[in-house]
Structure formats: structure tokens, C-alpha cells
Amino acid sequence: MEYFLIIIAAIFVNNIVLAKFLGVCPFLGVSSKISTAVGMTGAVAFVMVLATIVTYLLQKYVLETLGITYMQTITFILVIASLVQLVEIMLKKVSPSLYQALGIFLPLITTNCAVLGVAIMAAMNKDFGLMESTVFAFANAVGFGIAIILFSGMREHLDLVKVPEGMKGVPISLVVAGLLALAFMGFAGIA
Amino acid sequence: MASKKESTFINMVLTLFIVTAVAATTLGYIYELTKGPIEAAKRKKTLKAIANVTPAFDNIPSDEIYMLAIENDDSLVCYPSRKDGKLVGTAISTYTDAGFTERFYIMVGFAPDGTIINTAILSHKETPGLGDKMEKKKGNWSNQVNGKNPAKYKLKVKKDGGDVDGITAATFTSRGFVDAIDLAYKAYMKGGKHE
Amino acid sequence: MSKLKIFTKGFLKENPVFVLLLGMCPVLGVTTSAENGLGMGLATTFVLLMSNIVVSLIKSFIPDKVRIPSYIVIIASFVTIVELTMQAFLPELFDSLGIFIPLIVVNCVILGRAEAFASKNSVLDSILDGLGMGLGFALALTILGALREILGSGAIFGINVYSGDGALVFVLAPGAFIVLGYLIALSNKLNKKLYNK
């Protein structure tokens, strides 16, 4: 498969948040400000690409070779949890400034289903080699970033608008997210 | 509240090891238990699809499978249906990448002369409410190809100059559907018939 | 807290979906029909109940620092059990829930209950908590699935209620967000009426 097609499909057509519904928790949780949304995106991109590479290799060379693919869920989630820890420790040592920026988001990533979801999708796709999987993971991270940053921009404006009492807060944010998803459906068919 | 157990290096490693070992053993056991039923469920699904797309047969088509090579080094699985030893139809498990979302799989049955008998969707991720209208339980759209012989019936949607009516608002799915049939038909006519 | 309260709090007052806003991915992803919502809800209830039981049973043997990884392994095992069993006995539901079954692992409701409740309470209370929270989750998914199915394809549990096509947008992704938004507004209103007099 062509890399270009993978990238366009993952970012716009099958956007991980707005079309596939993965990573909705951080999408709603850390999107009240653009700056936090950018930080979260950075952390997710980092872990998502790393985790996909490691789990892909494990799936192909360990789980499938030994015929124990039923251990997939346990293995993948442990890999992601340890990677998050590892990245945290390494960032603290190597680049304290980056750690300052991403640090608080890292623990949240273990339970971000976008990371596990992308790892599983890449491992299960018969057409994907290591290169395709890496590109796929990166493109999905970009898609996640675009969705969450656009959404946080819209939420910042929501603060200034008069909203009916009952719809304040989460309900109106979800309706806005729905409209954003509707806009993304316009990309359908370009890939 | 229960008092927290102290964390020493040894008991941490030991605990994690025991938890993981118990988990792995249990899963291995459950895997062995469900292996049979999972195989049976898959087999049942295939046989049901074959029965839907070919005339009544008295052999076990899934025991006589053979592979048909197609262009991109891939191959399709074929299931010949026989009645009293005579070939009455061939079910071919085919797929397409031309659909709206990811690759989807359909089973298509051909009469010995290449006429399409019927089709059955094996698995798909097309949009609910739009693309999934190709499923039999969601409508009879897919029945329009039944009884047609692709030799004189153009396997393309009308938008692309063919004879197939597309599903409204799901042109990609419709294209994928006919593309999958076309793939199977071409392979079948290229010597895929096992009398 | 009385036993009854532990069980019932998950339905409205602390409903994991409408109030705590946990586990949103499957909530939005699989609720294209009432049947899918119910199936996912019950699968999650099973994992939640079993992990609550095991965690409360072994809570005093687990060293504090490795408790989260241990819980994750326990949860992942039950998820795999559900996955294998469903594949064997409910293959059609398995196909339509797809990737969301392994993703039960990262449903924050489950790890959240293990950490916040089961690791501090008795087995009986943890069972009640797991059942209540799980069924509250299942209830929310079924309501959302039923509404989307009625509005979008004119049917409920696959049975037609009106003829015609319905407003397709509700079955598609945007409808999931919009219907959930209104449901949360409704549950906020109900909770305010019932509990904050």
C-alpha cells in the first residue's frame, strides 16, 4: 500500500477520534486549552509510534511464531505501560524541559485506548510491514492531534458564548464534537 | 482499609511473576477449551455461506477446497458444491479493497457456466445505515446480480458505465461489491472450474 | 454506605457514562444499535465484576508499588477470556464489536473501580460495586444504542418501529456525540432534581 494513502486515510477519512472513536477520553479531558492539547498530542505521538514498533515486532516474531496470539491483549498493554514508564524516566534524565512539557500527560497515556487501538490495528493488518505500521502510527498521532487541537480551539470560544443552563459544560462540548465529526465526514471519498 | 503490604524488590518481582504466570496458565487453558468451538463456529459460518450461494449439494465443499491464483500473487479459496458427484456450483471467497473503509470479504457462488447464483457478505466494516445495505438482512440490493452471467452483464456500477445499480449514497461500497465479484469471476473463468 | 446504595449508585448518581464520563470510546464506538450496546455493556460488566472480585481477594498480598501493573494483568486476562468465549459462542456479536473487545482493557471504568473501590473494600461490597457500575454502564450503552437505532434506522433491537429511512446521521459518527451530549444534559437535570434539593 502507498504511504501517502495510509497517511491521508488515517488523518482525514478514518480520523482516529472522530470516525473510529479511539482516544475520546483525552479528547474530552484535556481539550479545554490549546496549549494542553498540544502537549498531549506530543506525548501521544511519541508513545504511539514507539509502542506500535515494539508491539509489531513482538506480534510477528514472538506471539505468531509461538502460536500464542491469545496473549496479545496482555502483552500489548504491558508493553505500553512499561514504555510509558521508560519514556518518563528517560525524558527526566535526557531532556528536563521536554519532561516539563509532557510529564503530566504521560501517565494518562497507559489508559488511552488510541495507543492500544493503533497497535492492535497495525498488528492485525496483513498488508502492513514494519515501515507501513510506523507510518500508520505516526499518521494516526497526527490525526489525533488535529482533532484535539481543533476541538480545544472551539471549546475556548464556547466559554464566551451563552449556553442554555442544562447544556453547559460537557453536553454542549459533545454536540460541538459531533459537528466537528460531521465536518470530517466531508473528507470521505478523497482517499 | 487494609494495611498496604511493604514493597521490597523481591516481593514485587515475585508478585508480578506469580500474577502473570497464573494469568498465562489460565488463558492457555481457556484457549484450549475454546479452540474447538471457535473452529466450529468459523466452519459453520463458511458452510452456511456456501449453502446460501450454491444449489443444494451432498458433498462437504469445505473438504474439497482448492486455491485460485489471482493477479497480485494472492489467491482465492474455492469450495465446489456437488450433487451426486456432479458439479452444481462453486462458492468462491473473494474480497475487495475498493470499498469505503477497509478490505471486505464476500462469498459468491457461480454456476458451472459462470452465471452468478447468489452472494453472501462474510465480513465488512462499511458504514452502518449506508454501505451495510449490501447485507441480505438490510435489504435486497445485492440480489440484482443473481442469475446474471458476467459474460453479457457488465460488472460495474452504472456511474462507471456498467449494469449494476449502486446503493444510494454508498457508491464506494457498491463499487467494492462488484469489484469483488469481478475478481472471483475472472479467476473462475481462467480455469478455476473443478468438475 | 448501605449495601443497597453501593449497588444502585452506578445507575444514576455515579453512572460511569453520564456522570463520571469514563470509558467513552466504546460508548461512542459500538452504540450503532441497541443490541451492540447491550452486548458491549454486558461484556464490560463481566470483566468489571470478575476483576473487582479478584482484586479484592488478593489486595493484601500485592505490594503497593506493583499494584497497578498487577491489576492491569488481571483485567487483561478476563478481557481475553471474554474475547475467546464470544468468538466461540457469539461469533456475530464478536464481528460487530470488533476491536472494541480487546480495548475493554483500557476502559478507565474497570481500572478505576479496581483502584478506587475493590482494593479497599470487602469481596461482597466489591461484587455489588462491580455489578452496579457494570450494569449502569450497560444501561447507558443500551439507551444510547437504542436511541441512535430508532432515530437513525427506524428500528429497535432490529425490529422495525416505523417505515422509511430515518435520519442517517444518528447512526454515523457525528450522531454518537450529539445524542450522548443531550443524554448527559438530561441525566444532569435528573440528578439535580433527585439529589441536590
XYZ file of all heavy atoms in Angstrom, chain A residues 18 21 174-175 177-182 185, chain C residues 27-28 31-32 144-145 147-149 151-152 167-183:
286
model
N -12.541 11.086 15.561
C -13.861 11.495 15.091
C -14.573 10.422 14.282
O -15.782 10.463 14.132
C -13.739 12.771 14.266
C -13.203 13.962 15.083
C -12.831 15.106 14.185
C -14.223 14.401 16.116
N -13.501 6.646 16.974
C -13.810 6.769 18.404
C -12.750 6.189 19.314
O -13.067 5.579 20.320
C -15.136 6.090 18.743
C -16.309 6.689 18.064
C -17.058 5.960 17.160
C -16.678 7.991 18.333
C -18.145 6.520 16.534
C -17.773 8.545 17.708
C -18.509 7.812 16.805
N -19.937 18.020 23.665
C -20.169 16.819 22.857
C -20.909 17.165 21.573
O -20.602 16.626 20.507
C -20.973 15.792 23.663
C -20.140 14.956 24.619
C -21.016 14.205 25.594
C -19.286 13.970 23.832
N -21.893 18.065 21.673
C -22.622 18.452 20.465
C -21.659 19.115 19.480
O -21.680 18.826 18.273
C -23.804 19.386 20.817
C -24.455 19.908 19.546
C -24.818 18.636 21.664
N -18.460 18.573 19.300
C -17.629 17.491 18.755
C -18.375 16.777 17.631
O -17.776 16.389 16.624
C -17.264 16.498 19.850
N -19.679 16.609 17.807
C -20.500 15.987 16.762
C -20.431 16.778 15.474
O -20.295 16.212 14.389
N -20.509 18.110 15.597
C -20.453 18.948 14.397
C -19.084 18.847 13.730
O -18.970 18.820 12.505
C -20.771 20.402 14.757
C -22.199 20.602 15.294
C -22.419 22.054 15.691
C -23.230 20.173 14.272
N -18.040 18.762 14.570
C -16.683 18.608 14.029
C -16.580 17.283 13.263
O -16.005 17.217 12.173
C -15.665 18.657 15.167
C -14.193 18.725 14.803
C -13.903 19.956 13.971
C -13.334 18.736 16.056
N -17.169 16.226 13.851
C -17.152 14.918 13.187
C -17.897 14.993 11.863
O -17.495 14.396 10.859
C -17.779 13.855 14.088
N -18.983 15.758 11.855
C -19.769 15.930 10.635
C -18.914 16.588 9.559
O -18.917 16.182 8.396
C -20.980 16.815 10.965
C -22.182 16.750 10.035
C -22.715 15.348 9.971
C -23.262 17.704 10.517
N -16.581 14.232 8.000
C -17.168 13.272 7.059
C -17.070 13.769 5.631
O -17.161 12.993 4.686
C -18.630 13.015 7.419
C -18.760 12.078 8.585
S -20.457 11.616 8.821
C -20.744 10.717 7.315
N -18.415 3.603 24.406
C -19.731 4.232 24.492
C -20.120 4.805 23.133
O -21.231 4.622 22.651
C -19.737 5.353 25.557
C -21.011 6.158 25.473
C -19.560 4.773 26.934
N -19.178 5.501 22.508
C -19.495 6.123 21.227
C -19.320 5.142 20.072
O -20.071 5.165 19.109
C -18.589 7.329 21.014
C -18.810 8.464 22.013
C -17.626 9.408 22.027
C -20.074 9.223 21.673
N -22.193 1.861 19.795
C -23.630 2.008 20.025
C -24.415 2.347 18.766
O -25.340 3.140 18.809
C -23.895 3.088 21.083
O -23.192 4.262 20.691
C -23.455 2.653 22.440
N -24.078 1.723 17.639
C -24.868 1.974 16.447
C -26.207 1.262 16.526
O -27.113 1.566 15.784
C -24.139 1.502 15.176
O -23.661 0.175 15.431
C -22.967 2.391 14.867
N -28.276 4.601 24.747
C -27.675 5.342 23.638
C -27.833 4.575 22.321
O -28.214 5.150 21.298
C -26.196 5.590 23.944
C -25.414 6.455 22.964
C -26.033 7.827 22.823
C -23.961 6.598 23.415
N -27.584 3.260 22.373
C -27.710 2.445 21.163
C -29.137 2.425 20.660
O -29.388 2.557 19.456
N -31.537 4.663 21.172
C -31.916 5.972 20.622
C -31.346 6.165 19.227
O -32.036 6.592 18.306
C -31.386 7.088 21.526
C -32.320 7.560 22.627
C -31.624 8.613 23.476
C -33.590 8.133 22.003
N -30.045 5.826 19.072
C -29.418 6.012 17.755
C -30.066 5.108 16.727
O -30.229 5.482 15.568
C -27.917 5.730 17.835
C -27.148 6.811 18.565
C -25.682 6.483 18.658
N -25.019 6.495 17.351
C -23.791 6.041 17.161
N -23.108 5.535 18.161
N -23.246 6.087 15.953
N -30.434 3.892 17.158
C -31.040 2.964 16.212
C -32.429 3.461 15.791
O -32.782 3.417 14.611
C -31.128 1.569 16.837
C -31.274 0.456 15.826
C -31.423 -0.908 16.469
O -31.160 -1.028 17.679
O -31.827 -1.846 15.754
N -33.642 6.613 15.915
C -33.550 7.839 15.129
C -32.921 7.579 13.767
O -33.331 8.146 12.762
C -32.720 8.876 15.881
C -33.341 9.432 17.157
C -32.321 10.265 17.913
C -34.567 10.269 16.831
N -31.925 6.717 13.746
C -31.134 6.554 12.533
C -31.676 5.528 11.564
O -31.687 5.746 10.357
N -33.126 9.344 10.128
C -32.086 10.339 9.894
C -30.737 9.665 10.085
O -30.290 9.423 11.196
C -32.242 11.505 10.855
N -30.112 9.391 8.949
C -28.911 8.571 8.943
C -27.808 9.077 9.844
O -27.048 8.304 10.422
C -28.417 8.523 7.506
C -27.549 7.348 7.198
C -28.316 6.087 7.466
C -27.129 7.423 5.763
N -27.749 10.396 10.009
C -26.632 10.996 10.739
C -26.500 10.401 12.140
O -25.411 10.323 12.697
C -26.778 12.531 10.785
C -27.941 12.949 11.641
C -25.508 13.181 11.262
N -27.594 9.908 12.721
C -27.534 9.403 14.087
C -26.796 8.068 14.179
O -26.262 7.728 15.217
C -28.936 9.285 14.682
C -29.537 10.627 14.974
C -30.575 11.125 14.213
C -29.022 11.409 15.986
C -31.097 12.372 14.467
C -29.536 12.663 16.254
C -30.577 13.147 15.490
N -26.798 7.306 13.089
C -26.046 6.059 13.118
C -24.567 6.338 12.861
O -23.695 5.629 13.323
C -26.593 5.068 12.068
C -25.854 3.755 12.148
C -28.072 4.840 12.293
N -24.292 7.397 12.123
C -22.905 7.725 11.803
C -22.227 8.399 12.998
O -22.870 8.750 13.987
C -22.871 8.645 10.578
C -23.537 8.064 9.332
C -23.564 9.071 8.214
C -22.809 6.808 8.878
N -20.918 8.622 12.854
C -20.128 9.142 13.968
C -20.686 10.426 14.602
O -20.802 10.502 15.824
C -18.687 9.335 13.517
N -21.050 11.465 13.832
C -21.484 12.703 14.486
C -22.678 12.491 15.416
O -22.741 13.083 16.497
C -21.887 13.599 13.306
C -21.193 13.037 12.137
C -21.067 11.578 12.371
N -23.609 11.623 15.000
C -24.798 11.374 15.804
C -24.462 10.833 17.178
O -25.142 11.138 18.164
N -23.389 10.038 17.270
C -22.992 9.475 18.556
C -22.692 10.589 19.550
O -23.195 10.599 20.673
C -21.770 8.584 18.378
N -21.887 11.570 19.107
C -21.526 12.674 20.008
C -22.770 13.472 20.394
O -22.959 13.822 21.564
C -20.540 13.614 19.293
C -19.145 13.061 19.168
C -18.647 12.624 17.945
C -18.320 12.997 20.278
C -17.363 12.137 17.822
C -17.034 12.516 20.171
C -16.551 12.080 18.946
N -23.604 13.765 19.393
C -24.736 14.665 19.646
C -25.744 14.016 20.589
O -26.161 14.620 21.587
C -25.378 15.084 18.299
C -24.360 15.927 17.516
C -26.657 15.870 18.540
C -24.748 16.234 16.102
N -26.125 12.761 20.317
C -27.104 12.087 21.187
C -26.550 11.967 22.603
O -27.252 12.236 23.586
C -27.465 10.691 20.627
C -28.385 9.955 21.597
C -28.148 10.825 19.280
N -25.268 11.616 22.734
C -24.681 11.487 24.074
C -24.702 12.829 24.802
O -25.003 12.892 25.998
C -23.253 10.953 23.986
C -22.579 10.730 25.332
C -23.307 9.650 26.120
C -21.128 10.357 25.181
N -24.436 13.917 24.074
C -24.474 15.249 24.680
C -25.830 15.529 25.312
O -25.918 15.940 26.473
N -26.886 15.253 24.568
C -28.232 15.505 25.096
C -28.570 14.563 26.246
O -29.211 14.962 27.212
C -29.270 15.413 23.975
C -29.272 16.665 23.136
C -28.648 16.707 21.895
C -29.864 17.829 23.606
C -28.607 17.870 21.140
C -29.837 19.000 22.871
C -29.208 19.015 21.635
O -29.171 20.170 20.915
N -28.125 13.316 26.157
C -28.398 12.372 27.251
C -27.719 12.814 28.545
O -28.290 12.699 29.633
C -27.923 10.961 26.869
C -28.886 10.159 26.005
C -28.259 8.825 25.625
C -30.194 9.908 26.743
